[in-house]
Amino acid sequence: HRVNINLVRDGEVVSEIKGHVVNDGLFRWRIPAGTEPDNGYKVQVKSVHEGSVTDASDARFRIVAPK
């Protein structure tokens, strides 16, 4: 089963982390340069073939600026 993985802030998709990836329960990625630091982010996973099948992080997380 393939999914799209999105970075979401305040309920809106900010960017696609990865599209049409196999849902094996694990995915690592680097936060792209230029992503705005904030503490309201979640990760959303959405089925490619069944758009109503979706889930998101239970809690928000923070992205901070690199040092």
Side-chain angles (χ1 to χ4, degrees), residues 2 23 29 42 50 57 61:
R2 295 198 173 266
N23 183 11
W29 97 102
K42 290 187 174 190
E50 298 176 45
S57 308
F61 61 89

Side-chain angles (χ1 to χ4, degrees), residues 1-63:
H1 192 83
R2 295 198 173 266
V3 296
N4 293 325
I5 306 172
N6 298 310
L7 182 62
V8 175
R9 182 177 59 193
D10 299 325
E12 299 292 325
V13 175
V14 174
S15 65
E16 181 179 78
I17 295 171
K18 185 71 175 181
H20 292 81
V21 66
V22 174
N23 183 11
D24 64 1
L26 177 68
F27 186 82
R28 294 182 182 167
W29 97 102
R30 289 184 184 260
I31 298 167
T35 302
E36 185 177 339
D38 197 356
N39 63 356
Y41 287 104
K42 290 187 174 190
V43 171
Q44 175 195 67
V45 180
K46 189 171 188 176
S47 171
V48 169
H49 302 291
E50 298 176 45
S52 63
V53 178
T54 185
D55 197 11
S57 308
D58 291 332
R60 295 177 183 172
F61 61 89
R62 180 183 304 179
I63 293 178

